[in-house]
Amino acid sequence: MILSDLNPFPTVVDWEGCCIRLRPFDLRAITWAERFFSLEYESGFSRMYSMLKDSSNPNLLLNTVVDIVYHLGEKDFRDIGVKSPSALKKTLKDEDKKTDTILIDFKAALDEILADSFPIKRKERERTGGEIYKKLTAGKK
């Protein structure tokens, strides 16, 4: 584990010249995803994750990414006048030419947040203490 795993660096996205700071995917965001994306027998968080990985439906991907990015940056979005994910989606659809670029930026930031929020467990090499450890533990296994 590296130190930044415990306190990831902030992730920001650019929205119309303003920096929107996205918070990490913490416990509150996980419970939000569980509620927001849940569907009958499927967990909301796993459904959200599968929707992010499915690029066959661009509209679904856009809506999923925007919902999550808005939730993670809600305070900053509200400060600049974007009051809901629906308003953000409407603005994106009005700016048809830039939608793909914005979606790519949002998705990259979201991937970074998910990677920082759920770091891969690394197998550490076993530490045995060298010769002293071997003498102290001789015959004990």
PDB file of all heavy atoms in Angstrom, residues 8-24:
ATOM      1  N   PRO A   8      -6.254   9.849  -1.401  1.00  0.00           N
ATOM      2  CA  PRO A   8      -5.983  10.102  -2.821  1.00  0.00           C
ATOM      3  C   PRO A   8      -5.957  11.595  -3.148  1.00  0.00           C
ATOM      4  O   PRO A   8      -6.614  12.399  -2.493  1.00  0.00           O
ATOM      5  CB  PRO A   8      -7.149   9.426  -3.540  1.00  0.00           C
ATOM      6  CG  PRO A   8      -7.796   8.552  -2.555  1.00  0.00           C
ATOM      7  CD  PRO A   8      -7.460   9.083  -1.198  1.00  0.00           C
ATOM      8  N   PHE A   9      -5.185  11.948  -4.153  1.00  0.00           N
ATOM      9  CA  PHE A   9      -5.145  13.324  -4.615  1.00  0.00           C
ATOM     10  C   PHE A   9      -6.506  13.695  -5.209  1.00  0.00           C
ATOM     11  O   PHE A   9      -7.202  12.840  -5.752  1.00  0.00           O
ATOM     12  CB  PHE A   9      -4.054  13.494  -5.676  1.00  0.00           C
ATOM     13  CG  PHE A   9      -2.684  13.272  -5.134  1.00  0.00           C
ATOM     14  CD1 PHE A   9      -1.972  12.138  -5.481  1.00  0.00           C
ATOM     15  CD2 PHE A   9      -2.110  14.182  -4.261  1.00  0.00           C
ATOM     16  CE1 PHE A   9      -0.701  11.919  -4.983  1.00  0.00           C
ATOM     17  CE2 PHE A   9      -0.841  13.973  -3.752  1.00  0.00           C
ATOM     18  CZ  PHE A   9      -0.126  12.840  -4.108  1.00  0.00           C
ATOM     19  N   PRO A  10      -6.892  14.966  -5.124  1.00  0.00           N
ATOM     20  CA  PRO A  10      -8.186  15.373  -5.678  1.00  0.00           C
ATOM     21  C   PRO A  10      -8.223  15.199  -7.194  1.00  0.00           C
ATOM     22  O   PRO A  10      -7.206  15.359  -7.869  1.00  0.00           O
ATOM     23  CB  PRO A  10      -8.307  16.847  -5.310  1.00  0.00           C
ATOM     24  CG  PRO A  10      -7.067  17.237  -4.623  1.00  0.00           C
ATOM     25  CD  PRO A  10      -6.175  16.055  -4.505  1.00  0.00           C
ATOM     26  N   THR A  11      -9.384  14.863  -7.696  1.00  0.00           N
ATOM     27  CA  THR A  11      -9.593  14.732  -9.132  1.00  0.00           C
ATOM     28  C   THR A  11     -10.528  15.853  -9.555  1.00  0.00           C
ATOM     29  O   THR A  11     -11.544  16.092  -8.902  1.00  0.00           O
ATOM     30  CB  THR A  11     -10.232  13.370  -9.468  1.00  0.00           C
ATOM     31  OG1 THR A  11      -9.373  12.330  -8.980  1.00  0.00           O
ATOM     32  CG2 THR A  11     -10.427  13.197 -10.955  1.00  0.00           C
ATOM     33  N   VAL A  12     -10.177  16.534 -10.623  1.00  0.00           N
ATOM     34  CA  VAL A  12     -11.009  17.634 -11.108  1.00  0.00           C
ATOM     35  C   VAL A  12     -11.350  17.409 -12.574  1.00  0.00           C
ATOM     36  O   VAL A  12     -10.619  16.748 -13.307  1.00  0.00           O
ATOM     37  CB  VAL A  12     -10.325  19.013 -10.947  1.00  0.00           C
ATOM     38  CG1 VAL A  12     -10.116  19.355  -9.496  1.00  0.00           C
ATOM     39  CG2 VAL A  12      -9.024  19.078 -11.703  1.00  0.00           C
ATOM     40  N   VAL A  13     -12.505  17.962 -12.967  1.00  0.00           N
ATOM     41  CA  VAL A  13     -12.898  17.991 -14.374  1.00  0.00           C
ATOM     42  C   VAL A  13     -13.181  19.442 -14.728  1.00  0.00           C
ATOM     43  O   VAL A  13     -13.519  20.248 -13.861  1.00  0.00           O
ATOM     44  CB  VAL A  13     -14.150  17.120 -14.666  1.00  0.00           C
ATOM     45  CG1 VAL A  13     -13.848  15.650 -14.495  1.00  0.00           C
ATOM     46  CG2 VAL A  13     -15.330  17.515 -13.820  1.00  0.00           C
ATOM     47  N   ASP A  14     -13.007  19.748 -15.997  1.00  0.00           N
ATOM     48  CA  ASP A  14     -13.279  21.099 -16.470  1.00  0.00           C
ATOM     49  C   ASP A  14     -14.708  21.152 -16.985  1.00  0.00           C
ATOM     50  O   ASP A  14     -15.110  20.313 -17.788  1.00  0.00           O
ATOM     51  CB  ASP A  14     -12.298  21.461 -17.587  1.00  0.00           C
ATOM     52  CG  ASP A  14     -12.594  22.839 -18.155  1.00  0.00           C
ATOM     53  OD1 ASP A  14     -12.522  23.820 -17.394  1.00  0.00           O
ATOM     54  OD2 ASP A  14     -12.911  22.915 -19.362  1.00  0.00           O
ATOM     55  N   TRP A  15     -15.452  22.123 -16.508  1.00  0.00           N
ATOM     56  CA  TRP A  15     -16.802  22.316 -17.022  1.00  0.00           C
ATOM     57  C   TRP A  15     -16.967  23.788 -17.355  1.00  0.00           C
ATOM     58  O   TRP A  15     -17.011  24.632 -16.459  1.00  0.00           O
ATOM     59  CB  TRP A  15     -17.871  21.870 -16.021  1.00  0.00           C
ATOM     60  CG  TRP A  15     -19.242  22.130 -16.529  1.00  0.00           C
ATOM     61  CD1 TRP A  15     -20.122  23.073 -16.094  1.00  0.00           C
ATOM     62  CD2 TRP A  15     -19.892  21.473 -17.613  1.00  0.00           C
ATOM     63  NE1 TRP A  15     -21.270  23.042 -16.833  1.00  0.00           N
ATOM     64  CE2 TRP A  15     -21.148  22.059 -17.777  1.00  0.00           C
ATOM     65  CE3 TRP A  15     -19.519  20.458 -18.470  1.00  0.00           C
ATOM     66  CZ2 TRP A  15     -22.042  21.653 -18.763  1.00  0.00           C
ATOM     67  CZ3 TRP A  15     -20.414  20.046 -19.439  1.00  0.00           C
ATOM     68  CH2 TRP A  15     -21.662  20.643 -19.576  1.00  0.00           C
ATOM     69  N   GLU A  16     -17.014  24.076 -18.639  1.00  0.00           N
ATOM     70  CA  GLU A  16     -17.183  25.443 -19.143  1.00  0.00           C
ATOM     71  C   GLU A  16     -16.210  26.412 -18.479  1.00  0.00           C
ATOM     72  O   GLU A  16     -16.594  27.486 -18.016  1.00  0.00           O
ATOM     73  CB  GLU A  16     -18.632  25.883 -18.975  1.00  0.00           C
ATOM     74  CG  GLU A  16     -19.595  25.022 -19.777  1.00  0.00           C
ATOM     75  CD  GLU A  16     -21.042  25.487 -19.697  1.00  0.00           C
ATOM     76  OE1 GLU A  16     -21.399  26.205 -18.742  1.00  0.00           O
ATOM     77  OE2 GLU A  16     -21.802  25.107 -20.596  1.00  0.00           O
ATOM     78  N   GLY A  17     -14.942  26.004 -18.411  1.00  0.00           N
ATOM     79  CA  GLY A  17     -13.907  26.862 -17.866  1.00  0.00           C
ATOM     80  C   GLY A  17     -13.787  26.855 -16.352  1.00  0.00           C
ATOM     81  O   GLY A  17     -12.946  27.539 -15.796  1.00  0.00           O
ATOM     82  N   CYS A  18     -14.620  26.089 -15.676  1.00  0.00           N
ATOM     83  CA  CYS A  18     -14.553  26.002 -14.214  1.00  0.00           C
ATOM     84  C   CYS A  18     -14.026  24.621 -13.815  1.00  0.00           C
ATOM     85  O   CYS A  18     -14.371  23.621 -14.433  1.00  0.00           O
ATOM     86  CB  CYS A  18     -15.935  26.192 -13.596  1.00  0.00           C
ATOM     87  SG  CYS A  18     -16.631  27.812 -13.901  1.00  0.00           S
ATOM     88  N   CYS A  19     -13.221  24.600 -12.775  1.00  0.00           N
ATOM     89  CA  CYS A  19     -12.723  23.326 -12.253  1.00  0.00           C
ATOM     90  C   CYS A  19     -13.737  22.768 -11.267  1.00  0.00           C
ATOM     91  O   CYS A  19     -14.080  23.427 -10.283  1.00  0.00           O
ATOM     92  CB  CYS A  19     -11.391  23.517 -11.542  1.00  0.00           C
ATOM     93  SG  CYS A  19     -10.031  23.683 -12.688  1.00  0.00           S
ATOM     94  N   ILE A  20     -14.200  21.590 -11.550  1.00  0.00           N
ATOM     95  CA  ILE A  20     -15.138  20.901 -10.669  1.00  0.00           C
ATOM     96  C   ILE A  20     -14.353  19.824  -9.932  1.00  0.00           C
ATOM     97  O   ILE A  20     -13.808  18.914 -10.558  1.00  0.00           O
ATOM     98  CB  ILE A  20     -16.291  20.248 -11.464  1.00  0.00           C
ATOM     99  CG1 ILE A  20     -17.005  21.283 -12.337  1.00  0.00           C
ATOM    100  CG2 ILE A  20     -17.255  19.526 -10.524  1.00  0.00           C
ATOM    101  CD1 ILE A  20     -17.725  22.379 -11.593  1.00  0.00           C
ATOM    102  N   ARG A  21     -14.298  19.943  -8.633  1.00  0.00           N
ATOM    103  CA  ARG A  21     -13.573  18.953  -7.821  1.00  0.00           C
ATOM    104  C   ARG A  21     -14.510  17.793  -7.510  1.00  0.00           C
ATOM    105  O   ARG A  21     -15.606  17.984  -6.972  1.00  0.00           O
ATOM    106  CB  ARG A  21     -13.090  19.599  -6.525  1.00  0.00           C
ATOM    107  CG  ARG A  21     -12.256  18.668  -5.720  1.00  0.00           C
ATOM    108  CD  ARG A  21     -11.725  19.341  -4.504  1.00  0.00           C
ATOM    109  NE  ARG A  21     -10.925  18.371  -3.773  1.00  0.00           N
ATOM    110  CZ  ARG A  21     -10.328  18.623  -2.651  1.00  0.00           C
ATOM    111  NH1 ARG A  21     -10.428  19.805  -2.106  1.00  0.00           N
ATOM    112  NH2 ARG A  21      -9.637  17.690  -2.053  1.00  0.00           N
ATOM    113  N   LEU A  22     -14.070  16.596  -7.858  1.00  0.00           N
ATOM    114  CA  LEU A  22     -14.850  15.389  -7.598  1.00  0.00           C
ATOM    115  C   LEU A  22     -14.315  14.719  -6.347  1.00  0.00           C
ATOM    116  O   LEU A  22     -13.114  14.484  -6.232  1.00  0.00           O
ATOM    117  CB  LEU A  22     -14.759  14.428  -8.789  1.00  0.00           C
ATOM    118  CG  LEU A  22     -15.180  15.005 -10.143  1.00  0.00           C
ATOM    119  CD1 LEU A  22     -15.001  13.960 -11.229  1.00  0.00           C
ATOM    120  CD2 LEU A  22     -16.597  15.521 -10.117  1.00  0.00           C
ATOM    121  N   ARG A  23     -15.199  14.420  -5.432  1.00  0.00           N
ATOM    122  CA  ARG A  23     -14.752  13.775  -4.199  1.00  0.00           C
ATOM    123  C   ARG A  23     -14.526  12.283  -4.456  1.00  0.00           C
ATOM    124  O   ARG A  23     -15.029  11.730  -5.433  1.00  0.00           O
ATOM    125  CB  ARG A  23     -15.738  14.005  -3.070  1.00  0.00           C
ATOM    126  CG  ARG A  23     -17.105  13.422  -3.287  1.00  0.00           C
ATOM    127  CD  ARG A  23     -18.060  13.907  -2.186  1.00  0.00           C
ATOM    128  NE  ARG A  23     -19.415  13.548  -2.490  1.00  0.00           N
ATOM    129  CZ  ARG A  23     -19.999  12.439  -2.072  1.00  0.00           C
ATOM    130  NH1 ARG A  23     -19.345  11.595  -1.313  1.00  0.00           N
ATOM    131  NH2 ARG A  23     -21.243  12.171  -2.390  1.00  0.00           N
ATOM    132  N   PRO A  24     -13.779  11.632  -3.583  1.00  0.00           N
ATOM    133  CA  PRO A  24     -13.542  10.191  -3.768  1.00  0.00           C
ATOM    134  C   PRO A  24     -14.833   9.394  -3.625  1.00  0.00           C
ATOM    135  O   PRO A  24     -15.820   9.877  -3.075  1.00  0.00           O
ATOM    136  CB  PRO A  24     -12.577   9.838  -2.634  1.00  0.00           C
ATOM    137  CG  PRO A  24     -12.072  11.122  -2.104  1.00  0.00           C
ATOM    138  CD  PRO A  24     -13.070  12.172  -2.446  1.00  0.00           C
TER     139      PRO A  24
END
